[in-house]
Amino acid sequence: MASDPQRGQRGTSGSSGAPDPSGTPEDHKPASDEAHSAFTPPLGVPYPPAPEEEHPTSEFALPAGLRPETPADQEGSAFTPPSGTTGQHPMPVGATAMGAAFTPPHGIPVVRLTKEAPWQDRMRTMLRMPVGERPVPERLERGDEETGPAVPRVLDLTLRIGEILLAGGEGAEDVEAAMFGVAHAYGLERVEPTVTFTLLSISYQPSLVDDPVTASRTVRRRGVDYNRLSAVFRLVDDITSEGITLEEAYRGLAEIRRNRHPYPSWALTVASGLLSGAASMLVGGNMLVFVAAAVGSMLGDRLAWLASGRGLPEFYQFVVAAMPPAAVGVAFGLAHASQASAVITGGLFALIPGRALVAGVHDGLTGYYITAAARLLEVGYLIVGIVVGVLSVLYIGLQLNPDLRRLNPEQALQQYNEPLVQIVAAMLLALAFCVLLQQERNTVAFATLNGGVAWVVYGTLVYRAEINVVPATAIAAGLVGLFGQLLSRYRYASALPYVTAAIGPLLPGSATYFGLLNFAQGHLSQGLPSLVQAASLALAIAVGVNLGAEVARLFLRAPGVEEAAGGRRAAKRTRGF
């Protein structure tokens, strides 16, 4: 094979082409002239030892032997829960490892908002926490996190939902819980809803350095439609649990507003008569009394509709609605004086504002004193309207028929005790109340049964155990509230449809009539105790219903709430004992 002279010249060094066995730098010669570099050691200089590992260094590297400084604590935030809760319990959702500015005396609660619990409990748990302690709830992905929530539209939707709930008679605490849940579901974490009797407001502040955004809405019209109330509860549950979009929520709210009432106006008139007739049988009336009380109540209902169509205030509507039952009772008393009391008492059952009374007492017991005072003042005006209407007719009747002055209706009504007839009448009365309240048809059977149970308990305590009527009424109303709360939890709905109609048989119609009749006869000393007893019975109903609901919440644990001190947080604006 021919040899390359150029290759042989480059492959030798010195006088010989043989390799140096002594391990000189000749073993590391570059293969070509292009491989020579300014960093290559010259001939005769040994290579430096190769490093064990390749670690690039920097002029900012810490010299050997120097300890690193301890990093300074980062500044905390009023909206960040402290990091001291990472011991036995996991960090709340949305919490960071940032240092804490303060630690509450009972520790930071851990909240797990699960879909298995009603939204009322989930949102009430968050609502009763101070703003600085509220963790961020888990929310479903909605696809709009990049642009962020449309704050004005979310606040508007929240206020519209709160308006329907408040106008339908829902308690202020549940209205605030619904507003809080809707705002949180769409990404507005630091919100503060406020509910009064006629004004709704909500304030949102993104951070401590941003200006708050506040919106408000006035409730000008109130209507009794529990069908619409139940639909709004389902919508709020879909928003907080199912993660529907803002547009879908607006469409659902528009459909709720367009929905027609489940019962026509003529059905409401018939239900009013049925209610008065059943109430008259509850206090000892026969079938003739049933018909007379029903006719008087239906006439009063039509007159109230006429007054409402003319734009008269609600006070005058109650005045004209109370006159026909009293007039029919006075006319009926001309032939059967002993049965006139049952006719007028039946008519009063359909007019006593038990729904507003229960809502007012509930707001007062939960700490919403302004709303409670306004509701109770409304109840007072409506009762005065009933008193004016009934007293006007009774006074005229006593002038026309002096024999009515010798009537002792209290003795006649208290002697009546027919358990089977009274139970049937109580359930019929609750059924008629369900129709007047525009309830959904699937709730009528539960409310009717609840009313029958309430009267069985009341009758057993009064007629068998001979307990005073006031504590007996409170116990029966407490069972109504307990069963209503359990049913609402089971069906994820409002408790009002199961409670309001069921307390109908317990309303103090007879005590109210006794007081009014004694006033018309000029016996003020006898009429005043009857009216005081009527007020006591009304308060016993309201307190009993609220107590039953709180007992249900006491034994049914709130969803996912773990506190260092244990127990449930107190209601709003209380000392927290």
Side-chain angles (χ1 to χ4, degrees), residues 37 107 120 144 195 263 266 400 421 496-497 554 559:
S37 171
Q120 301 97 306
D144 57 352
V195 175
Y263 309 104
W266 63 266
L400 297 177
V421 176
L496 289 181
L554 182 64

Short mmCIF file of all heavy atoms in Angstrom, two decimals, residues 37 107 120 144 195 263 266 400 421 496-497 554 559:
data_model
loop_
_atom_site.label_atom_id
_atom_site.label_comp_id
_atom_site.label_asym_id
_atom_site.label_seq_id
_atom_site.Cartn_x
_atom_site.Cartn_y
_atom_site.Cartn_z
N SER A 37 -5.46 25.11 19.77
CA SER A 37 -6.18 26.21 20.41
C SER A 37 -5.23 26.94 21.32
O SER A 37 -4.19 26.43 21.73
CB SER A 37 -7.37 25.68 21.23
OG SER A 37 -7.93 26.70 22.01
N GLY A 107 -58.78 29.08 65.85
CA GLY A 107 -58.13 28.45 64.72
C GLY A 107 -58.84 28.75 63.42
O GLY A 107 -59.90 29.37 63.38
N GLN A 120 -77.90 25.75 51.11
CA GLN A 120 -78.13 26.64 52.23
C GLN A 120 -77.10 26.42 53.33
O GLN A 120 -76.55 27.37 53.89
CB GLN A 120 -79.54 26.44 52.80
CG GLN A 120 -80.65 26.66 51.80
CD GLN A 120 -81.13 25.38 51.19
OE1 GLN A 120 -80.35 24.62 50.66
NE2 GLN A 120 -82.42 25.14 51.26
N ASP A 144 -63.94 30.51 31.57
CA ASP A 144 -63.79 31.95 31.44
C ASP A 144 -62.78 32.50 32.45
O ASP A 144 -62.82 33.66 32.79
CB ASP A 144 -65.14 32.66 31.64
CG ASP A 144 -65.77 32.31 32.97
OD1 ASP A 144 -65.23 31.42 33.65
OD2 ASP A 144 -66.79 32.95 33.32
N VAL A 195 -79.07 42.39 53.46
CA VAL A 195 -80.51 42.28 53.20
C VAL A 195 -81.26 43.02 54.28
O VAL A 195 -81.04 42.79 55.48
CB VAL A 195 -80.95 40.80 53.16
CG1 VAL A 195 -82.46 40.70 53.00
CG2 VAL A 195 -80.26 40.06 52.03
N TYR A 263 -101.95 27.60 40.01
CA TYR A 263 -103.39 27.57 40.25
C TYR A 263 -104.01 28.89 39.77
O TYR A 263 -103.46 29.97 40.04
CB TYR A 263 -103.70 27.37 41.74
CG TYR A 263 -102.96 26.20 42.36
CD1 TYR A 263 -101.86 26.41 43.18
CD2 TYR A 263 -103.37 24.89 42.11
CE1 TYR A 263 -101.18 25.35 43.74
CE2 TYR A 263 -102.69 23.82 42.67
CZ TYR A 263 -101.59 24.06 43.48
OH TYR A 263 -100.91 23.00 44.03
N TRP A 266 -109.56 31.64 40.28
CA TRP A 266 -110.79 31.07 40.81
C TRP A 266 -110.47 29.93 41.79
O TRP A 266 -111.20 29.71 42.77
CB TRP A 266 -111.70 30.56 39.70
CG TRP A 266 -111.13 29.44 38.88
CD1 TRP A 266 -110.46 29.54 37.70
CD2 TRP A 266 -111.19 28.03 39.19
NE1 TRP A 266 -110.07 28.30 37.25
CE2 TRP A 266 -110.53 27.35 38.15
CE3 TRP A 266 -111.72 27.29 40.23
CZ2 TRP A 266 -110.39 25.97 38.12
CZ3 TRP A 266 -111.60 25.90 40.21
CH2 TRP A 266 -110.94 25.26 39.16
N LEU A 400 -128.09 46.03 65.79
CA LEU A 400 -129.30 45.49 65.16
C LEU A 400 -129.89 44.33 65.96
O LEU A 400 -131.10 44.13 65.97
CB LEU A 400 -128.99 45.01 63.74
CG LEU A 400 -128.54 46.10 62.75
CD1 LEU A 400 -128.19 45.48 61.41
CD2 LEU A 400 -129.63 47.16 62.60
N VAL A 421 -112.95 14.31 63.55
CA VAL A 421 -113.41 15.44 62.74
C VAL A 421 -112.37 16.56 62.73
O VAL A 421 -112.11 17.17 61.68
CB VAL A 421 -114.77 15.95 63.28
CG1 VAL A 421 -115.23 17.18 62.51
CG2 VAL A 421 -115.82 14.85 63.17
N LEU A 496 -90.05 26.64 53.61
CA LEU A 496 -91.32 27.36 53.73
C LEU A 496 -92.51 26.58 53.20
O LEU A 496 -93.57 26.58 53.83
CB LEU A 496 -91.20 28.72 53.02
CG LEU A 496 -90.31 29.75 53.70
CD1 LEU A 496 -90.31 31.05 52.90
CD2 LEU A 496 -90.75 30.01 55.12
N PRO A 497 -92.44 25.92 52.03
CA PRO A 497 -93.63 25.18 51.57
C PRO A 497 -94.07 24.07 52.50
O PRO A 497 -95.25 23.70 52.50
CB PRO A 497 -93.17 24.61 50.21
CG PRO A 497 -92.10 25.52 49.76
CD PRO A 497 -91.39 25.93 51.01
N LEU A 554 -78.90 21.47 64.53
CA LEU A 554 -78.02 21.12 65.64
C LEU A 554 -77.58 19.66 65.57
O LEU A 554 -76.42 19.33 65.82
CB LEU A 554 -78.72 21.40 66.97
CG LEU A 554 -77.91 21.14 68.25
CD1 LEU A 554 -76.71 22.06 68.32
CD2 LEU A 554 -78.81 21.31 69.46
N PRO A 559 -71.93 20.74 56.68
CA PRO A 559 -71.05 20.01 55.76
C PRO A 559 -69.60 20.42 55.89
O PRO A 559 -69.23 21.56 55.67
CB PRO A 559 -71.61 20.39 54.38
CG PRO A 559 -72.23 21.73 54.60
CD PRO A 559 -72.78 21.70 55.98
#
